[in-house]
């Protein structure tokens, strides 16, 4: 009851006694509810109530302003409360925006790639694809990163991980080691780790191997070999062998990216594929028990990646066409095995050799490649002519003196065992004799077959299992330089590594 009385007092205080009585009489049914315009007494009562409320409001403001300090205090308090409410609202709004942005970024990361490190991310927003050109080459119609990841059977995150351009990192996608060069020194080989290797094989089998190359290219091409590379030069009076300097490092990331774009792929997809197929020179640094890998500035084709040879053949299509054209003009034969260029001719055509060499040097320079100044060999009539390790004087053959030494080595192994024996400076005698026997079998099956039978018996007797072990780059790089091998000990060319 006390609560009801207090409520009535508060209502009367807020308006007038007559207006409260009118409201209660309407509520209880003692006052007839007029429809339309209220009656005159009712209007007067309501008007009086409104005027009373307005008067009370004005009186309240007057009381406040009579005490200036109190009025300012209340104004500040009201302003602070309003500001606090605004801050809370802004805080909630910013949090909501952050959460929405994080959700959008997470969704983008799961389906797209917009950054892959410094200096390589510029074109990742360009997703324009030439579908007609892709179809012309009969390549996978990949237009998005999500489609690329699905085709490779990996996640978008793995695509990002394999293609990210890291300057300093605790991980590396390559195992690096050195193999001896046949002319002395060491050659760096970079073999990709399993995840990257699988991705590179997908690129090789689904894209690169579907691109037509020039007939004069024989290196790392199906149904071609060092034998097919040597055959056009058999019985030639003059054979010219030219090696290109730093062949794989010369093929840099921009050129590889341009190749994939030429197939019709967008700049985004071409960037990702090119990053997967290239690497920068990397130094291993051990600091406080942690291994870091510091990459150089320029990415290039690594020797050891399955995609590198195919990419060189594609990039060298124009080079091969120009060299083939100029060779044909002067009645020369031309073939290329990786970075080994071979020209040959007989009869009157040999008189044009000097002119041909001038054109060759100019063409190679214009294609942004470089001739090794110490590896240009002109073999004339009467000399032993070799092309990628195969003697081509009369027919494809193996060096006779070397073959005699190999037969003598097999005899000694069969007689006395393996102790004290070696072949071509290899640390693994059984693996080296197996490799050489296979080489002879490929070049000259008649001579190679009996040698292979003898080698197989030796391997079986000594329970041979071929396991390749290479020292890491960090260990081998600090080893003292070995003296140059003699010609007899250094015939295994680098291109037999693959």
């Amino acid at each position: 009851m006390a609560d009801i009385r207090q409520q009535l007092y508060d209502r009367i205080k807020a308006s007038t006694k007559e207006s409260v009585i009118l409201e209660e009489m309407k509520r209880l049914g003692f006052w007839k509810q007029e429809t339309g315009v209220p009656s005159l007494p009712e209007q007067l009562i309501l008007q009086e109530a409104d005027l009373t409320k307005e008067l009370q409001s004005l009186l309240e403001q007057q009381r406040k302003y009579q005490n200036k300090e109190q009025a300012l205090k209340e104004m500040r308090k009201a302003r602070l409360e309003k500001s606090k409410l605004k801050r809370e609202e802004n805080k909630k709004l910013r949090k909501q925006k952050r959460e929405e942005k994080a959700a959008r970024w997470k969704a983008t990361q799961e389906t797209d790639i917009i950054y892959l490190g410094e200096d390589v991310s510029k074109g990742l927003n360009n997703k324009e694809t030439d579908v007609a050109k892709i179809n012309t080459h009969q390549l996978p119609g990949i237009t998005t990163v999500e489609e690329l990841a699905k085709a490779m059977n990996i996640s978008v995150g793995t695509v990002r991980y394999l293609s990210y351009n890291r300057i300093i990192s605790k991980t590396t996608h390559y195992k690096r080691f050195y193999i001896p060069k046949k002319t002395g020194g060491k050659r760096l080989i970079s073999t990709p780790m399993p995840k990257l290797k699988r991705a590179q094989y997908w690129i090789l089998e689904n894209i690169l191997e579907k691109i037509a190359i020039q007939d004069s290219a024989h290196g790392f091409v199906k149904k071609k070999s060092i034998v097919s590379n040597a055959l056009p030069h058999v019985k030639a009076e003059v054979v010219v062998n030219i090696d290109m300097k730093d062949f794989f490092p010369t093929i840099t990331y921009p050129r590889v990216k341009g190749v994939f774009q030429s197939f019709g792929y967008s700049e985004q997809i071409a960037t990702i594929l090119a990053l997967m197929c290239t690497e920068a020179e990397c130094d291993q640094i051990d600091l406080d028990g942690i291994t870091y890998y510091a990459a150089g500035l320029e990415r290039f084709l690594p020797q050891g990646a399955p995609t590198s040879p195919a990419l060189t053949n594609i990039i060298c299509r124009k080079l091969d066409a120009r060299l083939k054209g100029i060779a044909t003009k002067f009645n020369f034969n031309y073939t290329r095995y990786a970075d080994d260029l071979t020209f040959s001719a007989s009869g009157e055509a040999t008189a044009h050799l000097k002119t041909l060499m001038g054109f060759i040097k100019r063409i190679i320079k214009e294609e942004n490649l470089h001739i090794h100044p110490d590896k240009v060999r002109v073999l004339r009539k009467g000399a032993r002519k070799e092309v990628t390790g195969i003697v081509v004087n009369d027919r494809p053959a193996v060096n006779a003196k070397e073959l005699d030494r190999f037969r003598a080595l097999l005899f000694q192994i069969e007689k006395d065992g393996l102790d004290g024996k070696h072949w071509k400076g290899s640390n693994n005698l059984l693996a080296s004799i197996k490799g050489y026997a296979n080489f002879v079998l490929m070049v000259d099956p008649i001579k190679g077959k009996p040698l292979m039978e003898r080698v197989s018996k030796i391997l079986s007797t000594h329970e041979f299992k071929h396991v390749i072990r290479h020292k890491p780059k960090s260990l081998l790089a600090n080893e003292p330089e070995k003296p140059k091998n003699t010609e007899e000990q250094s015939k295994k060319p680098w291109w037999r590594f693959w």
Side-chain angles (χ1 to χ4, degrees):
M1 182 64 71
D3 291 340
I4 296 173
R5 185 181 294 111
Q6 184 62 44
Q7 290 176 7
L8 287 173
Y9 287 156
D10 293 339
R11 289 171 63 188
I12 292 170
K13 186 177 179 181
S15 57
T16 62
K17 180 178 179 182
E18 286 75 10
S19 65
V20 173
I21 293 172
L22 177 62
E23 290 174 2
E24 287 299 310
M25 290 180 70
K26 285 183 176 181
R27 185 176 68 82
L28 298 173
F30 295 111
W31 188 279
K32 186 178 180 181
Q33 296 283 351
E34 297 286 346
T35 57
V37 180
S39 61
L40 184 59
E42 183 179 352
Q43 284 183 346
L44 293 174
I45 292 172
L46 295 174
Q47 188 175 5
E48 183 185 6
D50 292 338
L51 291 171
T52 303
K53 290 179 181 179
E54 187 177 353
L55 179 61
Q56 289 177 351
S57 176
L58 292 171
L59 291 172
E60 182 66 26
Q61 290 183 14
Q62 185 182 16
R63 284 194 297 271
K64 288 181 180 179
Y65 294 142
Q66 285 177 349
N67 188 344
K68 293 182 179 180
E69 293 183 359
Q70 182 64 25
L72 289 173
K73 185 177 180 180
E74 290 181 358
M75 288 174 65
R76 292 193 190 98
K77 183 178 179 181
R79 197 161 54 242
L80 286 172
E81 289 179 354
K82 185 177 179 181
S83 177
K84 184 177 179 181
L85 289 173
K86 186 65 176 178
R87 284 199 304 270
E88 290 295 327
E89 290 177 2
N90 290 337
K91 186 177 179 181
K92 290 179 181 179
L93 186 61
R94 286 195 298 269
K95 182 180 178 182
Q96 182 181 355
K97 288 182 178 180
R98 284 197 304 270
E99 291 174 350
E100 291 174 354
K101 184 178 179 180
R104 288 195 304 270
W105 176 244
K106 184 178 179 181
T108 299
Q109 284 187 313
E110 292 175 353
T111 59
D112 201 2
I113 294 176
I114 60 175
Y115 186 76
L116 286 174
E118 296 181 11
D119 302 325
V120 298
S121 302
K122 184 178 179 180
L124 291 175
N125 290 326
N126 185 358
K127 303 178 183 180
E128 185 178 351
T129 304
D130 190 338
V131 178
K133 191 176 287 187
I134 290 176
N135 293 336
T136 300
H137 294 293
Q138 297 181 345
L139 301 178
I142 294 169
T143 59
T144 66
V145 176
E146 198 170 12
E147 290 176 359
L148 177 63
K150 185 177 180 181
M152 288 185 170
N153 198 27
I154 56 179
S155 66
V156 172
T158 303
V159 172
R160 183 183 296 105
Y161 170 68
L162 295 177
S163 57
Y164 200 92
N165 184 41
R166 298 170 180 83
I167 305 301
I168 300 293
S169 176
K170 295 181 182 179
T171 61
T172 178
H173 292 306
Y174 289 88
K175 181 178 180 180
R176 299 170 179 86
F177 55 88
Y178 287 90
I179 60 173
K181 292 183 179 181
K182 62 180 181 180
T183 55
K186 297 186 287 282
R187 185 186 304 279
L188 175 64
I189 300 297
S190 302
T191 57
M193 296 297 188
K195 281 186 178 181
L196 180 58
K197 182 179 284 188
R198 286 193 294 270
Q200 289 178 343
Y201 268 116
W202 184 93
I203 296 171
L204 174 65
E205 294 167 0
N206 292 276
I207 298 178
L208 301 179
E209 288 184 346
K210 294 184 179 181
I211 303 299
I213 60 174
Q214 295 291 331
D215 293 336
S216 51
H218 292 261
F220 318 103
V221 180
K222 289 182 178 180
K223 299 182 180 180
K224 291 188 178 183
S225 65
I226 56 174
V227 177
S228 67
N229 183 65
L231 283 174
H233 310 290
V234 173
K235 296 184 178 180
E237 293 180 5
V238 173
V239 173
V240 180
N241 291 320
I242 299 173
D243 286 6
M244 286 186 278
K245 184 179 181 181
D246 298 329
F247 183 53
F248 283 90
T250 304
I251 310 298
T252 56
Y253 161 76
R255 298 181 74 174
V256 178
K257 177 182 173 182
V259 165
F260 287 111
Q261 284 186 275
S262 71
F263 300 157
Y265 289 114
S266 67
E267 188 173 2
Q268 182 191 46
I269 299 300
T271 297
I272 294 169
L273 295 175
L275 287 170
M276 285 187 176
C277 295
T278 58
E279 69 146 351
E281 187 175 358
C282 191
D283 292 320
Q284 182 175 319
I285 303 170
D286 294 318
L287 184 64
D288 296 333
I290 301 174
T291 301
Y292 296 92
Y293 299 92
L297 297 178
E298 190 169 43
R299 298 178 69 94
F300 50 83
L301 290 182
Q303 288 187 223
T307 49
S308 294
L311 280 166
T312 59
N313 284 336
I314 293 170
I315 290 172
C316 288
R317 286 180 299 179
K318 185 179 177 183
L319 171 73
D320 291 335
R322 295 182 69 186
L323 291 178
K324 177 69 174 178
I326 197 65
T328 303
K329 181 178 179 179
F330 292 108
N331 294 320
F332 272 72
N333 296 315
Y334 164 69
T335 61
R336 180 180 60 82
Y337 196 101
D339 63 345
D340 293 341
L341 312 180
T342 304
F343 299 84
S344 67
S346 298
E348 296 179 358
T350 59
H352 301 294
L353 178 59
K354 186 175 181 180
T355 305
L356 176 67
M357 290 297 292
F359 279 105
I360 291 170
K361 292 177 181 179
R362 190 181 77 180
I363 290 171
I364 291 175
K365 183 178 180 180
E366 289 173 352
E367 294 298 322
N368 295 318
L369 297 169
H370 309 284
I371 294 176
H372 199 299
D374 300 328
K375 295 185 178 181
V376 178
R377 299 171 297 281
V378 180
L379 309 172
R380 299 184 182 273
K381 192 173 182 179
R384 186 182 68 201
K385 303 178 185 68
E386 288 191 7
V387 177
T388 50
I390 298 175
V391 178
V392 295
N393 287 56
D394 297 313
R395 59 184 178 83
V398 180
N399 186 308
K401 291 183 179 180
E402 186 176 73
L403 191 58
D404 289 341
R405 288 195 300 272
F406 184 69
R407 289 194 181 103
L409 173 66
L410 294 184
F411 176 77
Q412 293 296 328
I413 293 174
E414 291 167 342
K415 179 183 176 183
D416 302 325
L418 302 176
D419 292 342
K421 313 297 188 303
H422 61 83
W423 181 249
K424 293 182 177 290
S426 173
N427 295 325
N428 190 332
L429 175 61
L430 294 177
S432 63
I433 64 172
K434 179 184 177 182
Y436 187 77
N438 279 317
F439 167 66
V440 177
L441 182 65
M442 177 179 64
V443 176
D444 191 342
I446 295 175
K447 294 181 179 179
K449 186 176 180 181
L451 289 177
M452 197 68 223
E453 290 174 355
R454 293 174 64 183
V455 169
S456 296
K457 289 180 181 179
I458 293 173
L459 297 179
S460 177
T461 301
H462 296 279
E463 298 180 351
F464 170 73
K465 291 182 180 179
H466 193 180
V467 179
I468 299 176
R469 293 187 178 91
H470 296 290
K471 291 183 181 181
K473 174 185 174 184
S474 57
L475 297 179
L476 256 173
N478 296 324
E479 289 186 356
E481 186 86 10
K482 293 183 180 179
K484 290 187 177 181
N485 296 333
T486 64
E487 184 180 352
E488 296 179 356
Q489 297 174 329
S490 58
K491 290 295 183 182
K492 184 175 181 180
W494 67 265
W495 31 260
R496 287 194 207 156
F497 172 76
W498 277 275

